[in-house]
């Protein structure tokens, strides 16, 4: 074989090798790069916790985990003996205060007013006699018939009679008008305070009966019957199944212009079905979720966003915690 032929064969081999590399690279570019990105999320629901404002003992639990409850349904009953005793004391105090208020506000009895008036009239009559006696004694004193001592005694009796009239008249007016305005006002305020105390105790007593504030499903019950629960401790959690959404953690280079109001299709493995979803919220997941570049040149840090979307065509059987798969 000539040198020219050998040289040609070498060039052909090199050209073929380069062609293979180009073909493999091209295939890899159009296949590997176009492989869809898979984003996995999960279904979530709103949830509220049932708790008591006061510490107590669980007397009865009327629901079970997984049970559907409606607004107003009784969920649990607590026992708080101290509050029951306080209610009795508050009611007794309120009753006594109300009676005092009614007594003060009520008009004085007719017999009492009449008796005070008769005493007043007696005092007026006595004053009239004392006045006439003093007048006669004074004239006799001027004529020198009686001594100055007798005149002074008559004058003192007349003065005392006038004072007795004034006192009797005051008692009569007090009987007519009843208690003073200040006394009435104080009694009314005491009655109001007692009624407020009773209302406060009654409102606290309502906390011993825990009811559902929204339709939902009992997801978790924490204490057992007979156990003590502390102030504000949760008794159970209720899932609001009507308020369901999906949450996804998406790296920003995978968002591809996704924005609030956009719709997309997600796959539900539990049912092997697709579901339409609409984005209603997006936010930065925080610095802890930032994807760090491994090279110092040509790459940069990428943040992760939390995307929330609600099902548009929700079907029966969807449960919180189920996986959602999105391929972009």
């Amino acid at each position: 074989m000539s040198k020219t032929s050998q040289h040609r064969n070498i060039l052909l081999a090199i050209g073929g090798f380069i062609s293979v590399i180009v073909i493999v690279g091209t295939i890899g570019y159009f296949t590997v790069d176009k492989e869809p990105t898979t984003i996995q999320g999960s279904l979530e629901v709103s949830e509220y916790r049932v708790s008591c404002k006061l510490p107590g003992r669980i007397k009865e639990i009327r629901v079970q985990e997984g049970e559907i409850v409606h607004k107003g349904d009784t969920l649990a009953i607590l026992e708080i003996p101290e509050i029951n005793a306080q209610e009795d004391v508050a009611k007794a105090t309120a009753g006594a205060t109300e009676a005092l208020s009614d007594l003060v506000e009520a008009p004085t009895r007719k017999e009492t007013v009449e008796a005070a008036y008769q005493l007043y009239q007696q005092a007026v009559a006595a004053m009239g006699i004392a006045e006439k006696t003093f007048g006669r004694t004074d004239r006799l004193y001027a004529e020198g018939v009686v001594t100055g001592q007798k005149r002074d005694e008559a004058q003192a009796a007349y003065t005392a009679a006038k004072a007795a009239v004034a006192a009797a008249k005051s008692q009569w007016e007090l009987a007519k008008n009843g208690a003073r305005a200040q006394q009435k006002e104080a009694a009314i305020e005491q009655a109001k305070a007692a009624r407020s105390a009773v209302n406060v105790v009654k409102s606290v007593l309502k906390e011993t009966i825990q009811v559902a504030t929204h339709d939902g499903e009992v997801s978790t019950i924490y204490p057992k019957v007979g156990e003590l629960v502390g102030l504000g401790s949760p008794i159970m959690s209720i899932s609001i199944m009507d308020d369901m959404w999906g949450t996804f953690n998406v790296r920003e280079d995978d968002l591809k212009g996704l924005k609030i109001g956009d719709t997309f299709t997600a796959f539900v493995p539990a049912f092997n079905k697709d579901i339409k979803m609409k984005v209603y919220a997006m936010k930065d997941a925080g610095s802890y979720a930032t994807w760090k570049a491994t090279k110092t040149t040509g790459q940069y840090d990428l943040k992760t966003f939390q995307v929330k979307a609600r099902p548009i065509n929700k079907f029966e059987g969807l449960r919180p915690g189920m996986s959602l798969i999105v391929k972009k």
Side-chain angles (χ1 to χ4, degrees):
M1 182 180 295
S2 65
K3 293 184 178 180
T4 304
S5 298
Q6 291 179 350
H7 183 67
R8 185 183 302 111
N9 289 337
I10 293 173
L11 291 176
L12 288 174
I14 294 173
F17 180 72
I18 293 174
S19 298
V20 170
I21 293 176
V22 170
I23 292 171
V24 171
T26 302
I27 294 174
Y29 176 80
F30 285 102
T31 57
V32 175
D33 285 356
K34 288 195 175 292
E35 183 178 346
T37 301
T38 300
I39 300 172
Q40 183 170 350
S42 62
L43 285 170
E44 305 286 345
V45 293
S46 294
E47 191 176 76
Y48 69 92
R49 292 190 173 187
V50 179
S51 58
C52 184
K53 293 180 180 178
L54 294 173
R57 189 179 298 276
I58 301 296
K59 183 179 180 181
E60 185 179 353
I61 295 179
R62 294 192 176 182
V63 294
Q64 298 178 348
E65 291 184 356
E67 185 175 340
I68 301 298
V69 297
H70 302 283
K71 183 177 179 179
D73 288 351
T74 300
L75 304 176
I77 299 177
L78 281 74
E79 187 177 30
I80 310 176
E82 296 80 1
I83 295 300
N84 293 328
Q86 290 181 19
E87 183 187 26
D88 295 338
V89 173
K91 284 183 177 179
T93 304
T97 309
E98 290 285 355
L100 175 61
S101 177
D102 293 341
L103 181 61
V104 172
E105 290 183 345
T108 309
R109 293 176 58 184
K110 182 179 179 180
E111 294 82 357
T112 304
V113 177
E114 184 63 25
Y117 177 73
Q118 293 300 330
L119 290 174
Y120 170 57
Q121 292 302 314
Q122 290 177 13
V124 171
M127 185 188 69
I129 295 173
E131 184 180 9
K132 292 178 181 179
T133 301
F134 172 65
R136 286 195 297 267
T137 304
D138 188 53
R139 288 192 298 272
L140 292 173
Y141 171 73
E143 296 174 0
V145 177
V146 297
T147 63
Q149 178 66 29
K150 291 292 185 180
R151 177 188 176 279
D152 293 340
E153 291 175 358
Q155 186 179 15
Y158 174 52
T159 302
K162 288 196 294 185
V165 168
K169 185 177 181 181
S170 297
Q171 291 296 324
W172 174 49
E173 291 178 348
L174 180 61
K176 285 194 303 180
N177 298 329
R180 292 183 303 174
Q182 295 87 341
Q183 291 176 322
K184 289 183 179 181
E185 186 67 25
I188 292 172
E189 292 301 323
Q190 288 177 358
K192 288 181 180 179
R195 283 193 293 266
S196 298
V198 173
N199 292 334
V200 169
V201 175
K202 285 183 177 179
S203 66
V204 174
L205 276 173
K206 290 180 181 178
E207 291 296 320
T208 61
I209 301 177
Q210 300 298 312
V211 299
T213 59
H214 196 285
D215 296 351
E217 180 182 305
V218 180
S219 58
T220 308
I221 299 176
Y222 302 103
K224 304 295 183 183
V225 173
E227 291 184 3
L228 289 171
V229 291
L231 177 67
S233 298
I235 298 173
M236 63 184 68
S237 295
I238 308 294
S239 296
I240 304 176
M241 304 301 291
D242 292 338
D243 188 17
M244 184 177 292
W245 71 89
T247 179
F248 305 85
N249 291 324
V250 185
R251 206 171 66 185
E252 60 180 317
D253 59 337
D254 291 328
L255 289 174
K256 307 298 183 183
L258 188 69
K259 60 184 180 299
I260 294 176
D262 287 351
T263 59
F264 61 88
T265 300
F267 177 70
V268 185
F271 293 92
N272 195 29
K273 294 174 64 175
D274 289 336
I275 186 172
K276 282 281 189 180
M277 308 195 76
K278 184 175 182 179
V279 179
Y280 74 92
M282 295 177 64
K283 69 174 183 178
D284 178 12
S287 58
Y288 63 90
T290 299
W291 180 82
K292 300 293 184 181
T294 57
K295 296 180 180 179
T296 58
T297 59
Q299 290 188 345
Y300 46 86
D301 295 347
L302 295 170
K303 285 194 173 183
T304 298
F305 282 77
Q306 185 184 57
V307 178
K308 293 184 178 181
R310 296 190 188 279
I312 298 176
N313 56 334
K314 186 171 62 174
F315 49 83
E316 190 68 26
L318 288 175
R319 305 285 303 174
M322 286 184 174
S323 297
L324 297 170
I325 306 299
V326 179
K327 292 187 177 182
K328 296 181 69 66

